[in-house]
Amino acid sequence: MATDNRIHFWRRNQKVPGRLKDTPKASNVNTKSKKPASFHEFARSTNDAWDIDDEEDDGIFSLKQSSSSPVQSRSMPQTPHLKLFKAPEDTEPLPHLPDRLEPISTNPEHPRLDVESGPTNGRVVKSCSDAQLNINAARNTLQKQQSLPVRPIIPLVARISDQNASGAPPMTVREKTRLDKFKQLLASPNTDLEELRKHSWSGIPREVRPITWRLLSGYLPANRERRDLVLQRKREEYFGFIEQYYDSRTDDNHRDTYRQIHIDIPRTNPLIPLFQQPLVQEVFERILFIWAIRHPASGYVQGINDLVTPFFVVFLSEFVEEDVENFEMASLPLETQRNIEADSFWCMSKLLDGIQDNYTFAQPGIQIKVKALEELVSRIDEDVHMHFQKCEVEYLQFAFRWMNNLLMRELPLRCTIRLWDTYQAESEGFSHFHLYVCAAFLIKWRKEILSMVDFQSLLMLLQNLPTIHWGNEEVGLLLAEAYRLKYMFADAPSHYKR
């Protein structure tokens, strides 16, 4: 039965990502499915689960999509479309539900109104359903919502500040002391990068995060006097690339790459209004296209689009005091917009230089990391490892996305930014330490994993882990556990070996 579940799990509706199709009843004959013999077979067998219908986004690409390389054509799983709801104490009074509903018109010009299933806060939405509303079911839904535990609603970006799920104040005495130490290091004629990494490991204050990220990524020199000159030269160089290459995006040899970028950009952080602004999407298209044609060994691979967002938001926060996720990019001066774009490009390039084997043909870096994660989990938690084997869940089916997107699809953006503080402070943070973060992240859900008894429910859990309320506190604990695992296993390859 687990095998049948695995077969049917990947069959999804192309129009609605993340939704399962109605599957036919299993045959009485229990046939054993053949496991993918190679990474390419796995990618092909799961392609329908990761693709969204591209035809609706054709735009200027009215011609049929030509065949592309296996790497460029592979689609990544998309972020599930989550809905955020207010906590019960913040909701408006619910409307009184009548004992009986009046018949609803079936006139096409006046579509019926229906109460949306799930936690609705009494919100009324349009529906095409012809089924009569069950009043008892609606009341039960409202009662369930009111009985849910109260959790604070944290913005997905959270002003890029140090905000914890516990509701702690954004700036404590200790944090003020840390901020003063950062300012002292950054103001010195030659910044001690090792000392800066040491202080950045446990998080970087919002006020100094942009300049610290530029330094730790290698984009800016440690010498303070040279920074302005380097910034000016690199920004001019980037926009020189735009003038030289960007007009070629509709050429035959670049059309497929640009088309895929054009389709992927609207899917990037769809819950955050900032990234749905046309101006911001144009910035991302330019960044990704220029990077792709300057790195022909890999080109553009889906997932790289996610890696721009933390840099973009952090550099934008330099000029924004209010809520970043709803900020209008067009309100900034054009020169400021250009500087944010150029800095995001160069810092993303520095990051990808260290993990480019994740995105070359067949993505060997990711395959190696997934196998390493499987080996590590088998040594630190045999029960979880054996449970995966029992349910016939392969690590590649969930950990591929963890490695390809650096957990960005699993965590809110505010948590990713905090995580990257440590990644940039840690030696080989993105290429090596990330493995131990993934292991710690997996074991964090040990109880939930062991409670799932079949392939489909287990994989659904692993692809939709409940981290929407996470803040710095949870990320700090995750990093501490990852550091412990690295200390125990990185230099002891036979430790706890099975």
Side-chain angles (χ1 to χ4, degrees), residues 25 34 60 103 209 245 248 277 308 374 380 383 434 451:
K25 292 183 180 179
K34 182 180 178 181
I60 62 172
R209 182 176 275 135
Y245 299 117
S248 67
Q277 297 175 25
V308 186
E374 180 176 358
I380 62 180
D383 290 341
H434 179 67
S451 69

Side-chain angles (χ1 to χ4, degrees), residues 169 197 226 238 257 264:
R197 288 190 180 93
R226 294 180 53 220
Y238 168 72
T257 296
D264 287 346

Side-chain angles (χ1 to χ4, degrees), residues 239-248:
F239 283 99
F241 295 151
I242 296 293
E243 294 177 4
Q244 183 177 357
Y245 299 117
Y246 195 60
D247 287 340
S248 67

